[in-house]
Amino acid sequence: MFLKNVFSASSLLLVLFFPSLIIAQSKINPYQYTIQKKIECTNGAVVSAHPLASKVGANILKEGGNALDAAIATQLALAVVYPAAGNIGGGGFMIARLANGKNLALDFREKAPAKSTRDMYLDAKGNAQTDLSQNGTLSSGVPGTIAGLFEELKYAKLPFKKLIQPAIDLAEKGFTISAGEANDLNENQDFFKKYNTLTPIFVKATPWKAGDTLIQKDLAKTLMLIRDNGANGFYEGETADLIIGEMKRSNGIINYDDLKNYKAIEREAVVFNYKMDYTIITMPLPASGGVLLPQMMKMIEDQPLSTYGFESVNAVHLMTEVERLSYADRAKYLGDRDFFKVPVKFLTSTSYVFERMKLYDPSKAGNSKDIGSGNVPAEHEETTHLDVYDKYGNAVSITTTLNGGYGSGTVIGKAGFLINNEMDDFSVKPGVPNMYGAVGGEANSIAPGKRMLSSMTPTIVLKNNKPYLVVGTPGGTTITTSVFQTLVDIIDFDMSAEDAVNKPKFHHQWLPDEIFVEKDFPMSVRTELEKMGYKITEREQIGRTEVIKIVNGKITAVGDKRGDDTAEGY
Ligand code: GLY
């Protein structure tokens, strides 16, 4: 376990002089806290992108809540303490395995507004204007997070008021920000100034620094409206008025009916077996992981990966080619099944997957120009992930997003929350890359009410039918490959959860035809891969993976080293 103190003496002084600011109900000190990367415990654990959010969730577990209660409280706290991605103005997906054996797959993905059109981001000459699909309120889909929270609540035990109160306190009384958050806020000052009609709280005359207190009174008020009125406190009344007011000031197109009509959808989880002992439960479309993860896992199932070894040239080559094959299909076939017929059964069938693997040559790099999608008959990226496991045996895996860091950049005036720029996850024009470099076609074109294709892949693995791994990550198109690698690292390479989370990751997505690697990816392997014909490109970081592993009642929760991610439990 490694602990890191992040906060300055000034935050400590603040607590000494204003002890009443400590969130009494949850015994959390928002002005002095530590990042904890790993915890081993037996009762329950939470791992998320921010220490305060993980603490809020763990306290709910200690106070008798189940994993769903803790997940709701953690998500709401993230919306306050991690504004770049935690949200009430975005959307996401939840996979849960309940103690009674029921699987849940909840889709609270954003939707295209009723006034959206297929070519809304093309200029008169037909050129894609990705500045419009990526920034400001025209890039926003109808938010789904709050509708999702109230669907989750159906499986929770505690009153919603108790679950949302820590988030309200954190917004109203403030919390000290980390060095990472200060840096991100400073880097985005021009973005906020450009895409807001009313100056948001994130804009500051002098640079933000670690230990500064961030107070969000408008957000606290919005959260109180949700506490007192349920989902209507967001989709109707005062908050809806503020959202529509912002749309009018900034040329957005979300209207009152879009908000009122938004529904989260409970879908059937994707469930498949891997090797003898493992059952993998993941999210179906519009989350692409529901097709790509079974494809990739089936493609490697019979290959001698464990003999190759972790990050050996052979293993990286095989996994890269598998990623290439799957992402080629993603570009052509995947989209919202409520709008486009996606041949899911065929794409994930063993016979199709085996046929595709005939294109894999163990001796040399594939080429995306030659390897297209199979023949089927007739994101600066910001998303965030959290895992929870409780003493009753419930497991929850939630990935949620604003899309880019701080979403569209627009804070809904006087409501205090950032709204997403998720419309860029549609294919704004066939062949034109989105902010993650991913291309798409008709399957993922814009249509009113349609959900944009996502890479989010919240996943739970059962071993011998019992919860074994709870996994997920942010990272745009790298999400699915990071989940794939994490599962392979733990299951095939017998790696610890800590190593699987923190060792360098790599990613291939068909186009562009290159392997992205993290800076600490071994140079010798890079050199060998280049000799095989691969182009290698370094990337600052790939994902921020969270893992909970449960073995014989012992829970190990690990937060990624790549951020302020923290594991809590008891
Ligand atoms: N916005 C990132 C994703 O949904 O894939």
Side-chain angles (χ1 to χ4, degrees), residues 45 92 150 284 391 420:
F150 282 93
K391 64 180 175 192
N420 69 83

mmCIF file of all heavy atoms in Angstrom, residues 45 92 150 284 391 420:
data_model
loop_
_atom_site.group_PDB
_atom_site.id
_atom_site.type_symbol
_atom_site.label_atom_id
_atom_site.label_comp_id
_atom_site.label_asym_id
_atom_site.label_seq_id
_atom_site.Cartn_x
_atom_site.Cartn_y
_atom_site.Cartn_z
ATOM 1 N N ALA A 45 -16.073 -2.608 -0.244
ATOM 2 C CA ALA A 45 -15.083 -1.648 -0.745
ATOM 3 C C ALA A 45 -15.672 -0.817 -1.873
ATOM 4 O O ALA A 45 -16.613 -1.231 -2.559
ATOM 5 C CB ALA A 45 -13.840 -2.387 -1.233
ATOM 6 N N GLY A 92 -24.226 7.491 -18.692
ATOM 7 C CA GLY A 92 -23.337 6.356 -18.449
ATOM 8 C C GLY A 92 -24.065 5.023 -18.471
ATOM 9 O O GLY A 92 -25.193 4.919 -18.982
ATOM 10 N N PHE A 150 -31.978 7.247 -10.335
ATOM 11 C CA PHE A 150 -33.263 6.856 -9.758
ATOM 12 C C PHE A 150 -33.676 5.433 -10.163
ATOM 13 O O PHE A 150 -34.435 4.785 -9.447
ATOM 14 C CB PHE A 150 -34.347 7.905 -10.067
ATOM 15 C CG PHE A 150 -34.200 9.093 -9.144
ATOM 16 C CD1 PHE A 150 -33.455 10.198 -9.520
ATOM 17 C CD2 PHE A 150 -34.731 9.055 -7.868
ATOM 18 C CE1 PHE A 150 -33.267 11.275 -8.651
ATOM 19 C CE2 PHE A 150 -34.547 10.119 -6.985
ATOM 20 C CZ PHE A 150 -33.813 11.222 -7.377
ATOM 21 N N PRO A 284 -24.463 -4.157 -22.912
ATOM 22 C CA PRO A 284 -24.781 -4.248 -24.344
ATOM 23 C C PRO A 284 -24.779 -2.877 -25.025
ATOM 24 O O PRO A 284 -24.636 -1.847 -24.353
ATOM 25 C CB PRO A 284 -26.191 -4.841 -24.342
ATOM 26 C CG PRO A 284 -26.800 -4.355 -23.083
ATOM 27 C CD PRO A 284 -25.674 -4.247 -22.073
ATOM 28 N N LYS A 391 -20.951 -6.352 1.693
ATOM 29 C CA LYS A 391 -20.876 -7.569 2.517
ATOM 30 C C LYS A 391 -21.989 -8.566 2.200
ATOM 31 O O LYS A 391 -21.928 -9.723 2.613
ATOM 32 C CB LYS A 391 -20.914 -7.195 4.009
ATOM 33 C CG LYS A 391 -22.191 -6.546 4.464
ATOM 34 C CD LYS A 391 -22.125 -6.226 5.958
ATOM 35 C CE LYS A 391 -23.363 -5.458 6.377
ATOM 36 N NZ LYS A 391 -23.281 -4.873 7.686
ATOM 37 N N ASN A 420 -22.627 17.821 -20.957
ATOM 38 C CA ASN A 420 -21.757 16.978 -21.790
ATOM 39 C C ASN A 420 -21.551 17.491 -23.214
ATOM 40 O O ASN A 420 -22.316 18.327 -23.702
ATOM 41 C CB ASN A 420 -22.382 15.582 -21.862
ATOM 42 C CG ASN A 420 -23.679 15.608 -22.667
ATOM 43 O OD1 ASN A 420 -23.673 15.547 -23.885
ATOM 44 N ND2 ASN A 420 -24.819 15.733 -21.966
#
